[in-house]
Amino acid sequence: MTRQNKIIVLIAYLLILAVFMIAYRSNRAAKVKRLRAELASINAAQDKSRAGETEVSRLTKLIPVDANTPVFIETLYRAARESGLKQHEVSTEAEKSSGNARPGGSDTSTITKHPLKISAIGSYRNFAEYVRRLQNSERFNRITDFKLSPDVAQLKGTLTVELYSLPVKR
């Protein structure tokens, strides 16, 4: 082979090598781009899952699976002590009522209501502070009945509070 032929073969080899390198790099860039898109979608799915877990945790605190009435009663006594109510008593009512979690839906789980009767003596400010603390409770509850009547230099009040629990099928 002559020197000129060797140079032509070398140039052809370099051109073919350059074409293969460009094809390899563009294919690799496309794969990297696709993998980055997949990674972004996986990260978005993880963020959505974390947000869902946070929401489930928050809702479980609001309406727990177990009524855990004794803990809530302790919260009520603490709120009464901090608001200055006197002769604070809490009693549970024997009847529990249930209702559909989603009226008209296919969900068969039920919300269970746990009524509590509260009676106390104190001033108007004491009752207002007690109701404020009850409303700011971490747990979802509902005051269904609230009566105040005058007593000797004080007010005598009775409240009915409902707690809720939502059984979850596992």
Side-chain angles (χ1 to χ4, degrees):
M1 234 189 217
T2 65
R3 186 178 172 116
Q4 191 176 9
N5 286 345
K6 286 182 182 180
I7 291 176
I8 292 173
V9 169
L10 183 61
I11 291 174
Y13 174 73
L14 289 176
L15 284 174
I16 292 171
L17 187 61
V19 168
F20 278 121
M21 286 296 288
I22 291 171
Y24 171 76
R25 297 283 288 178
S26 65
N27 185 23
R28 184 171 173 229
K31 285 181 181 178
V32 167
K33 190 175 181 180
R34 190 189 80 239
L35 288 174
R36 285 186 178 153
E38 285 180 23
L39 184 60
S41 70
I42 289 171
N43 285 337
Q46 281 180 335
D47 291 343
K48 187 176 179 182
S49 175
R50 284 187 198 115
E53 289 172 0
T54 303
E55 182 67 10
V56 165
S57 173
R58 186 183 72 79
L59 290 174
T60 302
K61 286 181 182 178
L62 284 175
I63 304 177
V65 174
D66 182 23
N68 211 356
T69 307
V71 172
F72 187 73
I73 290 174
E74 284 298 318
T75 303
L76 292 176
Y77 276 107
R78 187 175 336 113
R81 189 174 49 253
E82 291 171 355
S83 62
L85 288 177
K86 299 175 180 92
Q87 296 180 0
H88 179 264
E89 292 181 13
V90 179
S91 62
T92 58
E93 295 183 355
E95 62 185 73
K96 292 181 187 176
S97 59
S98 299
N100 283 342
R102 297 175 191 214
S106 60
D107 189 6
T108 59
S109 60
T110 58
I111 294 176
T112 306
K113 298 177 187 176
H114 307 273
L116 301 171
K117 280 276 200 198
I118 303 167
S119 61
I121 295 175
S123 69
Y124 179 77
R125 282 185 186 260
N126 297 138
F127 277 104
E129 177 65 17
Y130 182 74
V131 170
R132 185 189 68 77
R133 289 178 186 273
L134 184 60
Q135 288 175 339
N136 290 338
S137 170
E138 191 173 280
R139 171 102 183 251
F140 184 73
N141 59 67
R142 186 176 86 157
I143 299 173
T144 57
D145 187 33
F146 184 51
K147 294 178 184 175
L148 289 176
S149 59
D151 199 24
V152 179
Q154 294 281 325
L155 291 174
K156 187 174 188 177
T158 58
L159 292 94
T160 302
V161 177
E162 288 181 346
L163 286 183
Y164 299 93
S165 63
L166 180 63
V168 177
K169 295 180 181 176
R170 296 186 193 254

Short mmCIF file of all heavy atoms in Angstrom, two decimals, residues 5-21:
data_model
loop_
_atom_site.label_atom_id
_atom_site.label_comp_id
_atom_site.label_asym_id
_atom_site.label_seq_id
_atom_site.Cartn_x
_atom_site.Cartn_y
_atom_site.Cartn_z
N ASN A 5 -2.68 5.82 -0.11
CA ASN A 5 -3.77 4.90 0.22
C ASN A 5 -3.90 4.72 1.75
O ASN A 5 -5.01 4.62 2.28
CB ASN A 5 -3.51 3.54 -0.43
CG ASN A 5 -3.76 3.56 -1.93
OD1 ASN A 5 -4.37 4.49 -2.43
ND2 ASN A 5 -3.27 2.56 -2.60
N LYS A 6 -2.77 4.66 2.43
CA LYS A 6 -2.81 4.56 3.89
C LYS A 6 -3.50 5.78 4.51
O LYS A 6 -4.27 5.65 5.44
CB LYS A 6 -1.40 4.42 4.45
CG LYS A 6 -0.79 3.07 4.22
CD LYS A 6 0.60 3.02 4.85
CE LYS A 6 1.26 1.68 4.61
NZ LYS A 6 2.59 1.61 5.19
N ILE A 7 -3.22 6.94 3.99
CA ILE A 7 -3.83 8.17 4.51
C ILE A 7 -5.34 8.14 4.23
O ILE A 7 -6.15 8.50 5.10
CB ILE A 7 -3.16 9.42 3.91
CG1 ILE A 7 -1.74 9.54 4.45
CG2 ILE A 7 -3.96 10.67 4.22
CD1 ILE A 7 -0.94 10.67 3.85
N ILE A 8 -5.74 7.68 3.04
CA ILE A 8 -7.17 7.60 2.70
C ILE A 8 -7.87 6.61 3.63
O ILE A 8 -8.96 6.88 4.14
CB ILE A 8 -7.35 7.23 1.22
CG1 ILE A 8 -6.86 8.38 0.33
CG2 ILE A 8 -8.81 6.90 0.90
CD1 ILE A 8 -6.85 8.05 -1.14
N VAL A 9 -7.28 5.46 3.88
CA VAL A 9 -7.87 4.46 4.77
C VAL A 9 -7.95 5.02 6.19
O VAL A 9 -8.96 4.86 6.88
CB VAL A 9 -7.05 3.15 4.73
CG1 VAL A 9 -7.48 2.20 5.84
CG2 VAL A 9 -7.18 2.49 3.38
N LEU A 10 -6.92 5.72 6.62
CA LEU A 10 -6.92 6.32 7.95
C LEU A 10 -8.00 7.39 8.08
O LEU A 10 -8.73 7.44 9.08
CB LEU A 10 -5.52 6.91 8.26
CG LEU A 10 -5.35 7.51 9.64
CD1 LEU A 10 -5.56 6.47 10.73
CD2 LEU A 10 -3.99 8.15 9.78
N ILE A 11 -8.16 8.21 7.06
CA ILE A 11 -9.20 9.25 7.08
C ILE A 11 -10.58 8.59 7.07
O ILE A 11 -11.48 9.01 7.81
CB ILE A 11 -9.01 10.22 5.89
CG1 ILE A 11 -7.76 11.05 6.11
CG2 ILE A 11 -10.22 11.13 5.73
CD1 ILE A 11 -7.39 11.94 4.94
N ALA A 12 -10.78 7.55 6.25
CA ALA A 12 -12.06 6.85 6.21
C ALA A 12 -12.35 6.22 7.58
O ALA A 12 -13.47 6.29 8.09
CB ALA A 12 -12.05 5.79 5.12
N TYR A 13 -11.30 5.62 8.18
CA TYR A 13 -11.46 5.02 9.51
C TYR A 13 -11.85 6.09 10.53
O TYR A 13 -12.74 5.89 11.35
CB TYR A 13 -10.16 4.31 9.90
CG TYR A 13 -10.16 3.78 11.32
CD1 TYR A 13 -10.91 2.66 11.64
CD2 TYR A 13 -9.43 4.42 12.32
CE1 TYR A 13 -10.92 2.18 12.94
CE2 TYR A 13 -9.44 3.95 13.62
CZ TYR A 13 -10.18 2.83 13.93
OH TYR A 13 -10.20 2.36 15.22
N LEU A 14 -11.20 7.23 10.49
CA LEU A 14 -11.50 8.32 11.42
C LEU A 14 -12.92 8.88 11.20
O LEU A 14 -13.62 9.21 12.15
CB LEU A 14 -10.45 9.43 11.31
CG LEU A 14 -9.06 9.10 11.87
CD1 LEU A 14 -8.09 10.24 11.60
CD2 LEU A 14 -9.13 8.81 13.35
N LEU A 15 -13.34 8.98 9.92
CA LEU A 15 -14.70 9.45 9.63
C LEU A 15 -15.75 8.46 10.14
O LEU A 15 -16.75 8.86 10.74
CB LEU A 15 -14.87 9.68 8.12
CG LEU A 15 -14.21 10.94 7.56
CD1 LEU A 15 -14.35 10.96 6.04
CD2 LEU A 15 -14.85 12.17 8.17
N ILE A 16 -15.51 7.18 9.91
CA ILE A 16 -16.44 6.16 10.40
C ILE A 16 -16.48 6.19 11.93
O ILE A 16 -17.54 6.13 12.56
CB ILE A 16 -16.06 4.77 9.87
CG1 ILE A 16 -16.30 4.71 8.35
CG2 ILE A 16 -16.83 3.66 10.57
CD1 ILE A 16 -15.75 3.46 7.71
N LEU A 17 -15.31 6.32 12.55
CA LEU A 17 -15.23 6.40 14.00
C LEU A 17 -15.96 7.65 14.52
O LEU A 17 -16.68 7.57 15.52
CB LEU A 17 -13.75 6.41 14.43
CG LEU A 17 -13.49 6.33 15.93
CD1 LEU A 17 -14.03 5.03 16.52
CD2 LEU A 17 -12.00 6.44 16.21
N ALA A 18 -15.81 8.76 13.84
CA ALA A 18 -16.49 10.00 14.23
C ALA A 18 -18.01 9.84 14.13
O ALA A 18 -18.76 10.28 15.01
CB ALA A 18 -16.00 11.15 13.39
N VAL A 19 -18.49 9.18 13.05
CA VAL A 19 -19.93 8.96 12.88
C VAL A 19 -20.45 8.07 14.00
O VAL A 19 -21.50 8.34 14.60
CB VAL A 19 -20.21 8.36 11.48
CG1 VAL A 19 -21.64 7.84 11.39
CG2 VAL A 19 -19.93 9.38 10.39
N PHE A 20 -19.71 6.99 14.32
CA PHE A 20 -20.13 6.11 15.40
C PHE A 20 -20.12 6.84 16.75
O PHE A 20 -21.01 6.65 17.58
CB PHE A 20 -19.25 4.86 15.47
CG PHE A 20 -19.65 3.80 14.50
CD1 PHE A 20 -18.76 3.34 13.54
CD2 PHE A 20 -20.92 3.23 14.55
CE1 PHE A 20 -19.13 2.36 12.65
CE2 PHE A 20 -21.29 2.25 13.65
CZ PHE A 20 -20.39 1.81 12.69
N MET A 21 -19.14 7.67 16.98
CA MET A 21 -19.07 8.43 18.24
C MET A 21 -20.24 9.40 18.35
O MET A 21 -20.84 9.53 19.42
CB MET A 21 -17.74 9.20 18.33
CG MET A 21 -16.54 8.34 18.64
SD MET A 21 -16.64 7.56 20.25
CE MET A 21 -16.38 8.93 21.31
#
